Amino acid sequence: MRAMPIPSDHPLLLRIVDDLATHGWSQQNLFLPLALTGELAAECRKRAAEGELAPAAVGRGPASEVREGIRGDHIQWLEPGQADACDSYLSLMDSLREALNRGLFLGLEDFESHFALYPPGAFYRRHVDRFRDDDRRMVSAVIYLNDAWMPEHGGQLRMYLEDDAAHDVDPVGGCLVVFLSGQVPHEVLPATRERLSLTGWFRRRGNDPF
Ligand code: OGA
Ligand code: MN
């Protein structure tokens, strides 16, 4: 199914922009339509079954390496034109990118995103979503794809906000979390069941002349 594009001045997007401007993060529990969440989850599972997801690496470029003691998820980067559900997601994120640019003057030029599957017991230790040698990532956006997730399943996203106060998000299907990539340390707690998500980053243009 290809969902209708939404305009960049949609009230939901304006709320996210406002949250980011005032707090540096936003949580929208009912962001994705249920049908699209289901299709994206099915697409993620299909790719996993076909062996297309690979252990995620830590770091960037030649120095990147798989370290399960830091992060244990399996990922696949998204490309446009592969599946209608993925294209609907990318179109939604593009509307959000426009809304962010209009409201916050961030100059966001592109969006990179991947499916992530955490097997039971996998986690991602506390980190910030920005590389030491590359500050193009400005805003992180995570959408969860899990059916009937209960708090006792674990797998919370734990964000460390002002004064290091922790805010936990259950990875419930359809929920979107957005935060400033360079400013919000966070971690993924281990879960008792498989945990699916789509994680992406809005990027501004780099200083790199090449
Ligand atoms: C990440 C990340 C959070 C989540 O992939 O960098 O922090 O809740 N993901 O999946
Ligand atoms: Mn992260």
Side-chain angles (χ1 to χ4, degrees), residues 71 118 124-125 127-130 137 140 142 157 179 181 184-188 199 201:
R71 77 182 283 194
Y118 288 74
Y124 193 161
R125 294 257 188 253
H127 64 280
V128 177
D129 281 351
R130 206 181 246 186
R137 286 180 170 180
S140 306
V142 192
L157 166 66
F179 54 86
S181 303
V184 181
H186 56 281
E187 66 178 315
V188 177
T199 303
W201 295 272

Side-chain angles (χ1 to χ4, degrees), residues 126-152:
R126 179 172 168 147
H127 64 280
V128 177
D129 281 351
R130 206 181 246 186
F131 301 109
R132 252 183 292 261
D133 60 344
D134 179 350
D135 62 0
R136 283 177 298 168
R137 286 180 170 180
M138 297 296 287
V139 177
S140 306
V142 192
I143 290 188
Y144 300 107
L145 306 175
N146 307 295
D147 214 16
W149 194 276
M150 296 293 175
E152 55 268 32

